[in-house]
Amino acid sequence: MHRFSSSIHSHNKNIMSSSINFSILATFILLSLLFFLPRTIIATLEPNSPKLLKNACTGYTEGWNSSFCLEIMKSHPQIVLAKDLLHLTLSIIETGLINAIKTQIYIEENRKENIQESRRALDQCHNLYDHIIGVYKGALIHVKKQKLYDIAGAEFSMAANNAEYCENWLNIYDTIDADISSGNQIIKYLSLSGYNAVNDLMITDWITKRM
């Protein structure tokens, strides 16, 4: 009887383990589909909260292009599907971090083979992207775990400035690289829209605590 009971217990454990593994696999597949949706499908996605995206893309700096900002935001399903200010802010941070890492890897691969003048610009940009990646990681912690929204806002601002500095270094050394410039633009717009979102989140949180 004891052996039969042990056998049933072991069988149940195997079923539970298989169920957990299936759940993990299903979650992984879902996230993979989210990140690798074809552009044609992404283009048809409607934002969960269109007003959130519009407010995040409101510009206060010279030369700001709100339409271009919305285009960038809508090209990332994780941002499009954000249901509230918190999820929007976190999605912008995670998307910005991924893009910053990709741009830095591209810079790292290209600076090894460039002539001296271009190498100087790429070295500067590489260092600046170290800082961008660092502040995005900091912003993720400050928003997700600590609710230090004011600090996250400052970090978004620093990331945007560093993307501008990278572009300035490219211009100083007459280095033309469309991929790096595109990366700088994406980081600039994601960072400033993230700054808007986290400021709105901070105000909403402040009001909620006083109700």
Side-chain angles (χ1 to χ4, degrees), residues 174-188:
D174 294 321
T175 303
I176 299 173
D177 192 305
D179 291 309
I180 298 177
S181 292
S182 175
N184 290 337
Q185 279 284 80
I186 290 171
I187 291 298
K188 174 186 171 181

Side-chain angles (χ1 to χ4, degrees), residues 31-61:
L31 289 173
S32 298
L33 288 172
L34 187 64
F35 276 105
F36 298 104
L37 280 173
R39 292 289 174 183
T40 51
I41 296 177
I42 292 172
T44 64
L45 288 175
E46 285 299 323
N48 271 346
S49 303
K51 189 176 179 181
L52 290 181
L53 294 191
K54 185 178 179 181
N55 290 344
C57 280
T58 300
Y60 304 100
T61 60

Side-chain angles (χ1 to χ4, degrees), residues 55-69:
N55 290 344
C57 280
T58 300
Y60 304 100
T61 60
E62 186 179 349
W64 180 266
N65 187 333
S66 295
S67 297
F68 181 65
C69 175

Side-chain angles (χ1 to χ4, degrees), residues 126-198:
H126 190 273
N127 292 336
L128 287 164
Y129 268 88
D130 265 341
H131 194 245
I132 290 170
I133 291 167
V135 295
Y136 265 114
K137 287 180 178 178
L140 186 61
I141 293 170
H142 292 140
V143 172
K144 192 172 186 177
K145 295 184 177 180
Q146 300 173 344
K147 295 188 177 181
L148 297 174
Y149 303 133
D150 54 338
I151 295 177
E155 287 165 330
F156 274 126
S157 183
M158 284 187 282
N161 287 337
N162 282 338
E164 288 272 13
Y165 297 152
C166 173
E167 195 62 28
N168 289 341
W169 280 111
L170 294 179
N171 293 332
I172 289 169
Y173 288 104
D174 294 321
T175 303
I176 299 173
D177 192 305
D179 291 309
I180 298 177
S181 292
S182 175
N184 290 337
Q185 279 284 80
I186 290 171
I187 291 298
K188 174 186 171 181
Y189 275 88
L190 284 175
S191 298
L192 293 178
S193 60
Y195 177 87
N196 288 339
V198 80

Side-chain angles (χ1 to χ4, degrees):
M1 183 72 178
H2 177 70
R3 287 182 182 176
F4 180 69
S5 176
S6 297
S7 176
I8 292 174
H9 180 67
S10 177
H11 180 66
N12 287 341
K13 282 180 68 179
N14 289 336
I15 291 174
M16 286 179 65
S17 178
S18 298
S19 177
I20 292 169
N21 288 336
F22 178 77
S23 177
I24 292 171
L25 179 61
T27 302
F28 176 78
I29 292 170
L30 180 62
L31 289 173
S32 298
L33 288 172
L34 187 64
F35 276 105
F36 298 104
L37 280 173
R39 292 289 174 183
T40 51
I41 296 177
I42 292 172
T44 64
L45 288 175
E46 285 299 323
N48 271 346
S49 303
K51 189 176 179 181
L52 290 181
L53 294 191
K54 185 178 179 181
N55 290 344
C57 280
T58 300
Y60 304 100
T61 60
E62 186 179 349
W64 180 266
N65 187 333
S66 295
S67 297
F68 181 65
C69 175
L70 285 170
E71 186 180 318
I72 290 174
M73 301 275 269
K74 289 180 179 179
S75 69
H76 295 91
Q78 191 178 9
I79 293 175
V80 173
L81 298 175
K83 61 184 180 180
D84 53 37
L85 275 170
L86 176 59
H87 287 90
L88 176 62
T89 304
L90 290 173
S91 295
I92 290 173
I93 293 171
E94 290 164 2
T95 303
L97 184 57
I98 290 169
N99 277 275
I101 291 170
K102 284 181 179 178
T103 300
Q104 190 186 50
I105 290 172
Y106 175 84
I107 293 169
E108 174 67 27
E109 290 173 349
N110 280 269
R111 69 176 181 163
K112 298 172 184 176
E113 302 174 357
N114 270 273
I115 58 175
Q116 188 174 1
E117 291 301 311
S118 295
R119 173 67 185 261
R120 289 177 182 175
L122 296 180
D123 284 344
Q124 292 291 342
C125 283
H126 190 273
N127 292 336
L128 287 164
Y129 268 88
D130 265 341
H131 194 245
I132 290 170
I133 291 167
V135 295
Y136 265 114
K137 287 180 178 178
L140 186 61
I141 293 170
H142 292 140
V143 172
K144 192 172 186 177
K145 295 184 177 180
Q146 300 173 344
K147 295 188 177 181
L148 297 174
Y149 303 133
D150 54 338
I151 295 177
E155 287 165 330
F156 274 126
S157 183
M158 284 187 282
N161 287 337
N162 282 338
E164 288 272 13
Y165 297 152
C166 173
E167 195 62 28
N168 289 341
W169 280 111
L170 294 179
N171 293 332
I172 289 169
Y173 288 104
D174 294 321
T175 303
I176 299 173
D177 192 305
D179 291 309
I180 298 177
S181 292
S182 175
N184 290 337
Q185 279 284 80
I186 290 171
I187 291 298
K188 174 186 171 181
Y189 275 88
L190 284 175
S191 298
L192 293 178
S193 60
Y195 177 87
N196 288 339
V198 80
N199 274 349
D200 287 344
L201 179 60
M202 180 170 61
I203 293 168
T204 302
D205 185 63
W206 183 86
I207 293 171
T208 302
K209 286 177 179 177
R210 280 153 183 77
M211 289 179 66

